[in-house]
Amino acid sequence: AQSVSQHNHHVILSEAASLELGCNYSYGGTVNLFWYVQYPGQHLQLLLKYFSGDPLVKGIKGFEAEFIKSKFSFTLRKPSVQWSDTAEYFCAADSYGNNRLAFGKGNQVVVIP
Amino acid sequence: EAGVTQFPSHSVIEKGQTVTLRCDPISGHDNLYWYRRVMGKEIKFLLHFVKESKQDESGMPNNRFLAERTGGTYSTLKVQPAELEDSGVYFCASSQSQGIRSPLHFGNGTRLTVT
């Protein structure tokens, strides 16, 4: 079964700092990858996704992610965070192609003004 | 368009009681999914409906959990009898079609606490 791991579950940053969240998945075949964000009191929202093609994908709100197949990784980045980026971030993978997602444990990110 | 709505937002029940969670997907979305996050752990897939049919229920933890989607509109997830380990946040999501390119829309979740 596919699994997803995220590290550094709690991250505290100052505004304007750069954010990098790592994600590794276990499945060796074709896999679709996602980063979701959950702002306080809100629902999970899709930040970005990777299916194929350019391994550098851009998402909403200035986020981007890099897929490295050889490392089974999908790293989320934002060059300069804002207080409003305080949220929990989830990496997810789908090897079934039907929205049956395997999620990581999440990264709780707090941005200090 | 209205998003995915879940009710109730919070539920506190005692061990052994029954609880029913409800999910209203986005109108026209045939695919409905239930996920669960137990505290400190990953969000895990429970099951997937296509209209009123269970497409995949391999994630359901045991037979104390019963999901239904009569008429292919809203869905309910009943836990009977509830156990302490059932505590967590239950998420519902819907998508227009089954493929991965049809994005999932999540509800706010129902936080279930079993005491």
Side-chain angles (χ1 to χ4, degrees):
Chain A
Q2 60 187 8
S3 68
V4 175
S5 59
Q6 295 178 242
H7 313 289
N8 302 322
H9 297 295
H10 292 87
V11 177
I12 300 175
L13 300 167
S14 297
E15 276 193 318
S18 63
L19 173 67
E20 180 172 301
L21 300 177
C23 171
N24 291 92
Y25 60 94
S26 65
Y27 189 67
T30 300
V31 65
N32 303 297
L33 297 162
F34 306 82
W35 275 99
Y36 281 85
V37 61
Q38 187 173 26
Y39 298 103
Q42 296 187 27
H43 58 273
L44 280 159
Q45 300 172 44
L46 181 65
L47 268 181
L48 47 76
K49 59 186 182 288
Y50 174 80
F51 294 153
S52 63
D54 189 342
L56 194 61
V57 292
K58 295 191 183 300
I60 60 171
K61 306 188 180 190
F63 285 90
E64 62 181 32
E66 182 182 14
F67 169 64
I68 301 179
K69 187 174 182 179
S70 61
K71 295 185 177 180
F72 298 89
S73 71
F74 190 51
T75 303
L76 181 70
R77 297 187 177 98
K78 185 170 184 178
S80 176
V81 295
Q82 301 172 315
W83 173 79
S84 57
D85 292 320
T86 293
E88 191 159 18
Y89 293 80
F90 296 91
C91 182
D94 174 19
S95 60
Y96 299 93
N98 63 355
N99 277 326
R100 178 180 168 172
L101 303 181
F103 284 87
K105 287 188 177 181
N107 295 105
Q108 184 66 56
V109 174
V110 174
V111 180
I112 301 170
Chain B
E1 71 183 355
V4 176
T5 56
Q6 293 186 244
F7 182 83
S9 56
H10 293 82
S11 180
V12 181
I13 61 171
E14 292 183 353
K15 176 182 171 181
Q17 290 186 321
T18 297
V19 63
T20 300
L21 314 181
R22 172 170 169 146
C23 169
D24 286 75
I26 292 172
S27 178
H29 282 194
D30 288 339
N31 293 269
L32 187 149
Y33 304 78
W34 284 98
Y35 285 83
R36 174 176 78 165
R37 187 185 192 192
V38 172
M39 186 174 292
K41 300 208 170 179
E42 303 87 348
I43 300 171
K44 289 199 170 177
F45 168 84
L46 295 179
L47 88 160
H48 170 206
F49 283 101
V50 178
K51 297 185 179 178
E52 67 275 8
S53 301
K54 292 176 185 174
Q55 182 80 1
D56 180 355
E57 55 182 326
S58 59
M60 294 288 263
N62 52 60
N63 60 10
R64 295 185 293 102
F65 289 75
L66 175 64
E68 293 180 322
R69 193 183 182 196
T70 307
T73 53
Y74 69 91
S75 174
T76 57
L77 180 64
K78 181 190 288 187
V79 185
Q80 179 181 31
E83 298 288 344
L84 298 178
E85 65 264 25
D86 301 332
S87 296
V89 181
Y90 289 76
F91 294 100
C92 176
S94 71
S95 66
Q96 193 160 31
S97 63
Q98 192 168 339
I100 197 65
R101 294 180 187 271
S102 181
L104 279 178
H105 298 261
F106 281 86
N108 283 1
T110 293
R111 182 174 295 277
L112 174 65
T113 302
V114 182
T115 62

